[in-house]
Amino acid sequence: MKLHEYQAKEIFRKWGVPTPEGAVALSGIEALQVAKRLQAERFVVKAQIHAGGRGKAGGVKLVNTPEEVKAAAEYLIGKRLVTHQTGPKGKEVHKVLVEEASSIKQELYMGILIDRDRNRPVIITSAEGGMEIEDVAKQSPEKIFKEWVDPLVGFCSFQGMKLGFKLGFDAKLSRKLTAFIDKLVRLFEGVDASLCEINPLILTDEDEFLALDAKLILDDNGLSRHPDLSELRDITEEDPLEVEASKYNLNYIKLDGNIGCMVNGAGLAMATMDMIKFSGAEPANFLDVGGGASAEMVENAFRILMSDKNVQAVLINIFGGILRCDTLATGVVKAARKVRVDRPIIIRLEGTNVEEGRKILNESGLNFQVADGMKDASEKIVSIVQSFS
Ligand code: ADP
Ligand code: MG
């Protein structure tokens, strides 16, 4: 689950990670009130969307007076911001973060994420702050310094000192940086984060480290342990079909292709997507209905697939194990009776109760093409794709 910068910063403050003073505002008036409360000399007004690259796209405004804060907030709220992370459609701004402008002596990069090769969190730092870390990694990998957190031992001071020295700080500043990282690692583990990124992390004129930006992604599987954090979800930032799918515990990710697919099991879902591509088409989604799907879940999954306007045909590929083929067939037939099925549907079924499943489909009177194995399903997709062109 992604969080907004203002939400991440509130969590940072709770865990003792220093950030600039500030608060979120939903209107120009609210922004004005926040600015007056802050009593700062200069302010920053920052668009709150689930994407970075706002600075370059005009989503971060540096201003001098509370009245200018109000004007900047009114300009940003309601605007569609297009950054290199939003895609061409951009994202609409509903909120802004108003904060005190900081004096920046130096900008750094700091991130923590799970290193899946080493099975532990990795701390990534660079003196190239404010830049895209992917570009730094490509062009000058020697400017990136990493330390790994041992799950049993935890983060150690010597690791922080090592990073501090590599970044060019003296012992005193390296000790300050170590204390900063120590809090950040505790936060990362404490909230079950999968990514925590501060870009830029700054050193102020007063030689304090401060998180100027904050990106925090929480592991969805850890959310049941943090009911307070679950409430921070902002569904207006998510794809509407994905929000709908999450209501029914469906593992659904919308993609840009034209063949909708419904599969049980993540491995089979990946293989099916490969098969669609191999046939010359593009998958419109990833969808794993799961092993224990009920007819109701299948029905909802089918409805969600069909409501994607890009979908020109649907491939249902089920290996009946725990999810029996007759359950699947019942769900699909029920859904197809409710949704207008105006696009070709190919179904490949194997496994438990496959005969019953096929019978339900054949007797439904609906127009499904039943495929005999993966190869046949693939050939049927090819012929559909050819009919488009
Ligand atoms: P994004 O990563 O989406 O572009 P950032 O939060 O990193 O957004 O802000 C972009 C730039 O704006 C920062 O690199 C920094 O130079 C400036 N900035 C952001 N917040 C502040 C602040 N509180 N004080 C001073 N400058 C800021
Ligand atoms: Mg940033």
Side-chain angles (χ1 to χ4, degrees):
M1 183 178 88
K2 285 188 187 172
L3 297 180
H4 283 294
E5 176 193 7
Y6 78 90
Q7 296 169 324
K9 282 181 169 167
E10 279 165 20
I11 296 172
F12 277 25
R13 286 194 273 273
K14 220 186 250 172
W15 287 81
V17 177
T19 70
E21 290 290 325
V24 70
L26 280 87
S27 66
I29 298 287
E30 273 186 37
L32 178 72
Q33 287 161 350
V34 174
K36 283 186 173 158
R37 233 183 11 245
L38 286 175
Q39 295 187 330
E41 277 171 29
R42 285 188 321 151
F43 305 88
V44 186
V45 183
K46 308 176 78 174
Q48 298 297 288
I49 51 171
H50 281 185
R54 297 162 301 167
K56 283 191 196 116
V60 177
K61 304 278 176 211
L62 191 68
V63 296
N64 294 314
T65 65
E67 283 66 34
E68 285 173 14
V69 167
K70 178 167 177 271
E74 281 169 354
Y75 169 78
L76 286 172
I77 293 171
K79 196 177 156 63
R80 263 197 174 274
L81 204 60
V82 182
T83 82
H84 69 274
Q85 290 185 3
T86 58
K89 279 196 222 139
K91 278 187 179 284
E92 192 175 325
V93 181
H94 303 290
K95 301 170 187 174
V96 292
L97 171 62
V98 179
E99 62 184 21
E100 177 182 15
S102 309
S103 59
I104 305 175
K105 191 196 247 179
Q106 192 182 340
E107 292 196 345
L108 308 151
Y109 173 90
M110 176 159 304
I112 307 181
L113 54 122
I114 303 290
D115 182 337
R116 294 186 188 281
D117 291 333
R118 300 207 190 189
N119 301 318
R120 58 195 59 196
V122 57
I123 303 161
I124 301 175
T125 60
S126 174
E128 303 286 312
M131 304 231 326
E132 294 305 315
I133 197 67
E134 291 83 1
D135 295 341
V136 182
K138 235 183 261 161
Q139 285 151 21
S140 30
E142 73 285 354
K143 288 184 181 160
I144 291 181
F145 309 113
K146 298 180 185 176
E147 285 292 327
W148 285 264
V149 183
D150 186 298
L152 293 178
V153 181
F155 171 70
C156 298
S157 300
F158 79 87
Q159 296 182 294
M161 295 304 284
K162 233 161 97 180
L163 289 173
F165 290 140
K166 282 184 181 165
L167 290 167
F169 296 123
D170 61 14
K172 195 172 162 220
L173 281 177
S174 294
R175 271 197 294 277
K176 272 193 181 171
L177 185 71
T178 302
F180 185 98
I181 301 175
D182 187 58
K183 288 188 182 128
L184 201 64
V185 172
R186 283 172 202 272
L187 177 156
F188 183 86
E189 292 183 342
V191 301
D192 291 317
S194 58
L195 176 101
C196 175
E197 190 181 56
I198 304 176
N199 191 18
L201 162 69
I202 62 156
L203 185 66
T204 64
D205 285 343
E206 297 78 35
D207 276 349
E208 298 299 334
F209 289 102
L210 208 56
L212 217 59
D213 193 2
K215 176 171 175 178
L216 194 56
I217 302 181
L218 305 179
D219 184 341
D220 291 345
N221 295 319
L223 280 177
S224 60
R225 308 204 293 181
H226 311 283
D228 52 327
L229 298 179
S230 307
E231 285 169 18
L232 300 179
R233 181 171 174 198
D234 182 353
I235 55 168
T236 64
E237 291 284 327
E238 297 175 25
D239 184 276
L241 289 181
E242 289 183 13
V243 173
E244 181 69 11
S246 70
K247 284 188 202 157
Y248 307 104
N249 281 327
L250 297 163
N251 297 310
Y252 171 90
I253 295 164
K254 188 173 153 34
L255 301 168
D256 295 330
N258 51 352
I259 308 286
C261 45
M262 177 152 84
V263 190
N264 65 327
L268 188 59
M270 298 301 281
T272 305
M273 288 164 64
D274 282 348
M275 187 176 87
I276 291 171
K277 275 191 161 271
F278 186 70
S279 309
E282 292 288 329
N285 63 278
F286 169 93
L287 171 59
D288 168 14
V289 289
S294 61
E296 193 200 352
M297 275 171 83
V298 170
E299 189 183 329
N300 285 309
F302 189 76
R303 183 174 51 77
I304 288 166
L305 281 189
M306 295 303 276
S307 58
D308 180 349
K309 299 217 166 26
N310 296 336
V311 167
Q312 292 178 294
V314 174
L315 170 62
I316 300 176
N317 190 7
I318 300 292
F319 185 80
I322 303 170
L323 168 63
R324 300 183 334 237
C325 292
D326 56 323
T327 306
L328 179 276
T330 308
V332 171
V333 169
K334 262 174 104 178
R337 289 199 196 287
K338 285 188 198 159
V339 186
R340 201 165 59 91
V341 182
D342 47 3
R343 288 157 277 184
I345 314 266
I346 304 162
I347 304 187
R348 178 248 172 177
L349 287 178
E350 287 302 338
T352 314
N353 293 0
V354 64
E355 292 311 326
E356 289 90 324
R358 291 210 178 115
K359 194 155 164 263
I360 293 167
L361 293 174
N362 287 332
E363 288 174 2
S364 70
L366 293 161
N367 188 16
F368 302 117
Q369 301 182 38
V370 181
D372 185 19
M374 288 280 262
K375 186 160 175 282
D376 187 37
S378 168
E379 281 162 8
K380 286 195 158 66
I381 297 172
V382 172
S383 72
I384 286 175
V385 173
Q386 281 165 353
S387 74
F388 295 154
S389 51

